[in-house]
Amino acid sequence: MSESAIITTNNVNLWYHEKQALQSVSIKIPRNRVTALIGPSGCGKSTLLRCFNRLNDLIDHVKCTGEITLDDENIYAPSTDVVTLRKKVGMVFQKPNPFPKSIYENVAYGPRVHGIRDKAELDRIVEQSLRHAAIWDEVKERLNDSALGLSGGQQQRLCIARTLAVEPEVILMDEPCSALDPIATAKIENLIERLKEDYTVIIVTHNMQQAARVSDYTGFMYLGRLIECGKTGQIFEHPKEELTENYITGRFG
Amino acid sequence: MKFTKKTDGVFTASKGTARLSVLKEQSVKTVFFFAAFFAVIVVSFILLFLLRDGYPIFVQVGLPNFLLGPDWAPTAVVPLYGIFPLIVGTLLVTIGAMVFAVPLSIGCAIYLSELASPRTKKCLKPAVELLAGIPSVVYGFFGLIVLTDFIRVSFDIPTGETWLAASLLLGVMALPTIISVSEDAISSVPHEYKEGSLAIGATRWQTISRVLVPAALSGIAAAVILGIGRVVGETMAVLMVAGNAAITPDPIWNILSPLRTLTATLGIEMGEVSVGSEHYSALFGIAVILLIITLIINLSAVAILRHLKEGRTKGPAPKLLVSSATKESLARFFEVIGIAVLLVFLLAAAPWWLAAFVLLIPGAWYFGRDRLSQKHIQTIAFCLVGLATVIVLAILVIILQDIVVHGLPALSWEFLTQPPKDLGRAGGIFPAIIGTLYLVMGAIAIALPLGMGAAIYLVEYTREGRITRLIRTSVDLLNGTPSIVFGLFGFAFIVLYLNVGVSLLAGQVTLALMVLPTMIRTTEESLKNIPQSLREGSLALGATQWQTISRVVIPPAVPGIVTGAILSIGRAAGETAPIMFTAVIFSSRFLPDSVFQPVMALPYHLFILATNVPGSSTNKYGTALVLLLLVIGFYSVAIFVRTHFQNKARG
Ligand SMILES: Nc1ncnc2c1ncn2[C@@H]1O[C@H](COP(=O)(O)OP(=O)(O)OP(=O)(O)O)[C@@H](O)[C@H]1O
Ligand SMILES: [Mg+2]
């Protein structure tokens, strides 16, 4: 890949207890592009994604070796501040997880914890993020209602807005549409399309068409290994590896 | 061919006995229904008998005068029955206890649920449970000997039996309730919230303080309310340290003034009043008021917790009542009020250096927080949370250490096997040990079948309906009833109305009623933990409901039920108030030879030694230690059974 990489992993291995979940994964994530990770269930996609913001740290007995750099800084170095890292690398989860607070408070939460107190400034950020996440028109009348009253698709876009409000550089999305209907999915896909102007997006998906539609690059994983990674068109039309071809054409297992 | 024949045989056989088995099922169900309905009967009888005996005073004095009258002087030449100072006393003690207990417990709960490693947690939780297991008369004894003396010396006042002492002691007693319920609430906040917040780049402390604790807030509120219920209903401990002058402190924030609570009044005067007099009726009037207060408190906590549980399973969409802007201005308002109250309070009551020191903390916080990085704030917060935990542990260690160190020298073979001499100053406590054992064994023999029956009915035989709700509410009401109220009820109903007299039997029944709700709840819990698939498996084979329950559901639930029974025994062994007027005498050389004779009991013996017999220090401590060991012994067995069988069940 000729484009400049924002995240680079080098020989990453990861174990849960004794069980190895990632095996010497080396991948370059290009800046301001959408990269899709595909592969069968349990192959380690979520695990890899959660390495990028060190959310795996929350789980006991996780061991990780190798090197992961963000903007050429090793994120597993002892000097790395995870809080700053997570500010730069936002995440949208598979199941929408808004806080049990109002819509406004959900979006304002990030800026607040990072020290913004000014009400006008917060208002501006909240509106901008909600607009950016294409949900503003649906919620602007009821910003003070509980976020738990929104539909699943709206909740997911709210979670995206919540992530955007922190202005990260990278957004990780772990099967963001798996709990949504086709209409909500289409909305989120459009959104991803627009996000790459300002952000780098890494998306995990089980939906082959979705990967083909939204991503510029695709990585295929299998049993903890990264089998192949390249331009989406190339991966889908002329995969180099047989495994990839089998998976993409549905001839698997 | 052979196979078909065999099935046929089984089928015809069951057809033959079908009528009989339907009848049997029906009668089994009826028996369980009555066990469950018993709770409703007890509650109505308690209300009925308290009202029957308290009613005359409401008529005579009038409810407004009774509630708002400024003087409580039942033995004056012109007796006055105004319980206003007693209500104020209860209120003040409660407020004081909460000021002390709430921050400590929430800090400790946060530490346990979010910061402690699994191993630390495993050690700390039994410690908190131990704090809950110490009998209230032992708390009272410790307060009387150590705490009041400490207060007397450090404030240089004639006596340390004060509001402050009562609040501190009751605060300690409320700690375990608040800690364990809030810890539960914080731990059960969905994991996704935590991940969501951390993924945005919030620090751990920001995640705790802005997401986890707010999400757990109603659970924490319920915890505090339960703690309040515990404090309001407590009798023995508060009676021993509060000074018991029926006055309102002057000025009202004078924490070094003695005061008297509703419960203490019952504990002190019930033993000396002549049955049927105006004074007697006034005491029952107090019990009615006390019951109403505690019932409101406990039912609201139960309602909150139940709502939470249902909300979690059904997936809530709660509307937020206040907008964030109003919330903010409200918060600001309370901040100002809080600081003002603190100022007045400190200037009036505390030495100036303490005031300056305490004021320095919010001051520094207010001006410093913008300059501190989130990292530093987190460090400070974690230190405070850790400090709270250390204080809770230190309290436990201090109490245990004091009683063990002073009590050990008294322990000897003679002490354990001889009757008391010279009003308990010399001799042993053998009859008291045996009396306590008799009391708890009798109580559990009554409560266990009733409790199991009720729980089986509630879990296995019925869907949620009006009757079930009535039974559940009654169990909640019983659970929230102060132990002294059981004592009064036992006296009015069993001792007098049924004419059983002050006796072992009356005590056993009273204690049984008191532990019944614990019994029902723990059994219910363990039955609910049996997977539905087991029942379905058995029913699908054609077993009747009773066969399913008795052969498939109950056996794996036995450890849970046993745990509940032992916990109830521990609780019953340490209680004083329910047996004080129903079963005990202070001094007896002999063991009772029928259940119609009164007995000695350890908690009551300790109470009398501590309050009425000067100069028996060693024996006091010895009695306290034996009582403590007995109760803790029961609790340890219960905890052991629980963890042992839990591990076994997991394989
Ligand atoms: N907390 C954990 N503890 C132990 N093992 C885990 C844990 N999380 C994941 N694993 C294991 O690591 C492997 C990779 O899991 P991961 O969640 O990354 O897969 P995935 O590719 O995201 O699958 P899916 O498509 O189903 O989400 C799996 O075999 C899984 O069992
Ligand atoms: Mg996954």
Side-chain angles (χ1 to χ4, degrees):
Chain A
M1 278 170 245
S2 52
E3 300 187 53
S4 85
I6 182 164
I7 293 179
T8 312
T9 76
N10 198 351
N11 237 334
V12 169
N13 292 285
L14 186 140
W15 292 264
Y16 293 108
H17 283 281
E18 301 297 306
K19 185 176 184 302
Q20 185 157 14
L22 292 180
Q23 279 184 38
S24 48
V25 173
S26 301
I27 189 173
K28 286 190 163 64
I29 308 290
R31 195 182 296 275
N32 285 12
R33 293 287 178 270
V34 178
T35 304
L37 292 176
I38 58 172
S41 195
C43 68
K45 305 176 299 283
S46 304
T47 306
L48 181 61
L49 209 61
R50 290 160 65 96
C51 283
F52 295 148
N53 64 350
R54 286 184 59 178
L55 217 54
N56 282 331
D57 292 13
L58 293 186
I59 303 167
D60 296 329
H61 310 293
V62 168
K63 201 179 109 201
C64 184
T65 66
E67 195 187 46
I68 303 177
T69 60
L70 170 71
D71 287 331
D72 296 325
E73 278 177 58
N74 184 356
I75 64 172
Y76 273 87
S79 60
T80 312
D81 179 33
V82 281
V83 170
T84 324
L85 168 70
R86 288 173 189 157
K87 205 170 136 184
K88 282 197 209 159
V89 184
M91 180 155 189
V92 178
F93 297 80
Q94 176 170 6
K95 206 174 126 222
N97 61 345
F99 302 129
K101 297 171 182 276
S102 71
I103 295 170
Y104 182 94
E105 287 299 323
N106 259 284
V107 184
Y109 178 82
R112 271 196 223 270
V113 299
H114 294 123
I116 296 174
R117 293 253 179 75
D118 182 41
K119 181 84 172 98
E121 175 73 0
L122 281 175
D123 286 348
R124 191 188 64 71
I125 295 176
V126 169
E127 175 169 348
Q128 191 193 335
S129 313
L130 287 170
R131 277 188 192 285
H132 214 137
I135 189 183
W136 172 254
D137 289 326
E138 288 158 68
V139 300
K140 66 181 175 207
E141 306 292 325
R142 46 175 180 150
L143 288 177
N144 286 321
D145 287 2
S146 167
L148 302 183
L150 297 174
S151 75
Q154 288 172 325
Q155 287 189 1
Q156 193 61 302
R157 275 176 288 151
L158 178 67
C159 289
I160 295 177
R162 187 175 76 183
T163 309
L164 297 180
V166 186
E167 300 187 340
E169 295 173 21
V170 182
I171 300 177
L172 310 174
M173 295 187 170
D174 192 349
E175 300 179 42
C177 303
S178 66
L180 306 183
D181 69 31
I183 297 175
T185 303
K187 281 190 179 158
I188 302 229
E189 286 183 7
N190 286 336
L191 178 58
I192 294 172
E193 192 66 25
R194 279 188 289 119
L195 285 178
K196 71 178 176 195
E197 291 162 20
D198 304 308
Y199 305 92
T200 306
V201 177
I202 308 175
I203 177 171
V204 167
T205 175
H206 276 290
N207 181 331
M208 232 50 66
Q209 285 81 31
Q210 183 172 59
R213 277 196 301 268
V214 301
S215 70
D216 304 304
Y217 291 85
T218 299
F220 170 63
M221 293 182 70
Y222 185 63
L223 295 181
R225 294 174 181 278
L226 180 71
I227 304 296
E228 177 169 12
C229 182
K231 282 225 160 72
T232 300
Q234 178 247 309
I235 293 277
F236 277 87
E237 280 148 34
H238 314 286
K240 292 196 188 94
E241 304 285 332
E242 205 184 324
L243 272 174
T244 320
E245 181 160 2
N246 287 348
Y247 183 70
I248 286 168
T249 51
R251 269 181 279 135
F252 219 78
Chain B
M1 204 60 214
K2 207 176 170 192
F3 179 76
T4 329
K5 212 173 180 182
K6 203 171 171 189
T7 339
D8 233 299
V10 170
F11 186 66
T12 24
S14 66
K15 208 173 192 178
T17 50
R19 255 182 76 90
L20 198 71
S21 95
V22 165
L23 227 119
K24 192 173 147 201
E25 284 295 306
Q26 207 51 46
S27 47
V28 167
K29 186 177 173 182
T30 316
V31 168
F32 286 133
F33 171 75
F34 277 110
F37 201 72
F38 186 71
V40 182
I41 299 175
V42 173
V43 168
S44 14
F45 267 54
I46 290 181
L47 276 176
L48 196 75
F49 270 83
L50 291 189
L51 274 176
R52 187 191 76 145
D53 285 357
Y55 181 70
I57 199 73
F58 296 139
V59 175
Q60 211 143 44
V61 184
L63 193 57
N65 286 339
F66 187 66
L67 287 177
L68 298 174
D71 291 298
W72 175 257
T75 50
V77 184
V78 186
L80 292 168
Y81 300 104
I83 64 169
F84 189 66
L86 311 178
I87 295 179
V88 172
T90 299
L91 196 68
L92 292 180
V93 168
T94 310
I95 293 174
M98 288 301 127
V99 166
F100 165 69
V102 170
L104 269 189
S105 340
I106 294 182
C108 191
I110 290 177
Y111 182 83
L112 282 176
S113 56
E114 290 303 316
L115 302 184
S117 70
R119 249 177 76 203
T120 329
K121 197 168 164 177
K122 226 183 193 164
C123 303
L124 287 184
K125 281 191 102 171
V128 173
E129 283 173 7
L130 198 60
L131 211 51
I134 299 177
S136 64
V137 65
V138 174
Y139 273 116
F141 173 68
F142 173 83
L144 186 62
I145 306 276
V146 181
L147 182 62
T148 53
D149 201 54
F150 174 75
I151 289 176
R152 181 180 61 80
V153 173
S154 35
F155 290 91
D156 194 19
I157 46 179
T159 163
E161 295 178 21
T162 53
W163 169 12
L164 179 62
S167 283
L168 285 179
L169 195 63
L170 290 186
V172 171
M173 296 174 69
L175 285 175
T177 313
I178 310 183
I179 292 175
S180 52
V181 180
S182 352
E183 197 256 325
D184 226 37
I186 299 176
S187 298
S188 48
V189 171
H191 196 66
E192 288 88 49
Y193 293 164
K194 191 164 152 187
E195 290 199 331
S197 171
L198 289 174
I200 283 173
T203 61
R204 278 170 82 193
W205 174 246
Q206 284 172 325
T207 303
I208 292 170
S209 63
R210 294 175 187 221
V211 177
L212 299 186
V213 170
L217 207 57
S218 26
I220 297 176
V224 173
I225 298 175
L226 284 176
I228 290 177
R230 174 104 169 83
V231 170
V232 170
E234 175 52 43
T235 309
M236 303 318 289
V238 72
L239 186 163
M240 291 164 85
V241 300
N244 298 325
I247 52 170
T248 36
D250 174 39
I252 189 75
W253 55 78
N254 180 10
I255 52 173
L256 298 177
S257 153
L259 44 69
R260 178 190 268 213
T261 64
L262 293 167
T263 49
T265 309
L266 297 180
I268 295 166
E269 296 176 10
M270 193 57 207
E272 294 156 6
V273 72
S274 68
V275 175
S277 66
E278 222 171 64
H279 186 186
Y280 177 82
S281 166
L283 291 182
F284 276 84
I286 292 182
V288 171
I289 305 294
L290 178 66
L291 189 63
I292 293 173
I293 296 175
T294 47
L295 292 190
I296 293 174
I297 292 173
N298 280 291
L299 283 187
S300 49
V302 168
I304 293 177
L305 287 175
R306 196 157 285 168
H307 180 81
L308 267 184
K309 231 184 214 165
E310 277 159 17
R312 217 167 265 140
T313 46
K314 279 181 198 151
K319 283 255 180 249
L320 301 175
L321 292 175
V322 275
S323 78
S324 60
T326 10
K327 230 190 218 161
E328 218 155 80
S329 46
L330 266 178
R332 185 110 343 128
F333 176 75
F334 280 114
E335 219 166 76
V336 171
I337 296 275
I339 290 175
V341 167
L342 197 69
L343 253 175
V344 170
F345 185 77
L346 283 168
L347 292 181
W352 66 268
W353 51 266
L354 189 66
F357 182 70
V358 173
L359 283 181
L360 217 61
I361 296 170
W365 171 246
Y366 203 83
F367 291 108
R369 77 173 157 189
D370 288 337
R371 265 159 236 158
L372 287 173
S373 76
Q374 283 303 330
K375 268 263 160 63
H376 291 127
I377 292 179
Q378 167 158 305
T379 313
I380 295 172
F382 282 0
C383 286
L384 288 178
V385 165
L387 183 69
T389 314
V390 169
I391 293 178
V392 171
L393 286 182
I395 292 171
L396 177 68
V397 170
I398 290 173
I399 296 177
L400 291 184
Q401 180 257 343
D402 181 69
I403 288 173
V404 171
V405 165
H406 294 97
L408 267 184
L411 288 196
S412 65
W413 185 244
E414 275 67 47
F415 187 68
L416 295 177
T417 55
Q418 295 295 313
K421 284 188 212 119
D422 188 18
L423 289 177
R425 288 192 193 91
I429 53 171
F430 181 66
I433 297 177
I434 297 300
T436 290
L437 289 181
Y438 280 172
L439 280 168
V440 296
M441 291 309 152
I444 210 66
I446 300 168
L448 185 63
L450 276 174
M452 270 184 71
I456 289 175
Y457 180 77
L458 286 175
V459 178
E460 305 291 334
Y461 277 106
T462 167
R463 295 214 184 81
E464 296 307 308
R466 208 175 286 166
I467 299 272
T468 333
R469 218 172 309 139
L470 181 67
I471 296 174
R472 284 244 156 76
T473 312
S474 304
V475 175
D476 291 337
L477 289 175
L478 273 187
N479 197 45
T481 303
S483 54
I484 185 85
V485 172
F486 280 107
L488 259 70
F489 170 69
F491 181 71
F493 180 62
I494 304 167
V495 173
L496 296 183
Y497 186 79
L498 297 181
N499 210 6
V500 175
V502 174
S503 62
L504 181 55
L505 181 63
Q508 289 168 333
V509 175
T510 313
L511 283 176
L513 299 183
M514 194 192 75
V515 297
L516 187 60
T518 318
M519 232 13 270
I520 296 178
R521 282 194 176 167
T522 43
T523 313
E524 247 192 301
E525 274 315 303
S526 46
L527 291 178
K528 276 186 191 154
N529 281 338
I530 308 299
Q532 192 60 28
S533 56
L534 278 187
R535 297 185 181 90
E536 286 168 0
S538 165
L539 291 173
L541 292 176
T544 64
Q545 188 150 24
W546 171 238
Q547 286 169 330
T548 305
I549 293 170
S550 60
R551 300 184 194 190
V552 176
V553 178
I554 293 185
V558 163
I561 300 172
V562 171
T563 310
I566 304 173
L567 284 177
S568 306
I569 292 180
R571 167 115 196 271
E575 277 290 347
T576 317
I579 54 172
M580 201 156 49
F581 320 117
T582 55
V584 289
I585 41 168
F586 170 54
S587 191
S588 154
R589 295 190 53 82
F590 308 102
L591 297 176
D593 41 33
S594 88
V595 289
F596 295 105
Q597 288 180 353
V599 290
M600 284 184 72
L602 278 174
Y604 186 68
H605 191 68
L606 174 60
F607 172 64
I608 297 294
L609 284 188
T611 52
N612 284 352
V613 184
S616 53
S617 177
T618 347
N619 273 10
K620 281 178 199 171
Y621 268 109
T623 314
L625 182 59
V626 172
L627 178 57
L628 194 63
L629 289 179
L630 193 72
V631 173
I632 290 178
F634 284 130
Y635 276 94
S636 327
V637 173
I639 291 175
F640 173 77
V641 170
R642 194 177 58 195
T643 44
H644 183 74
F645 282 92
Q646 249 170 21
N647 293 343
K648 233 182 174 177
R650 276 199 216 108

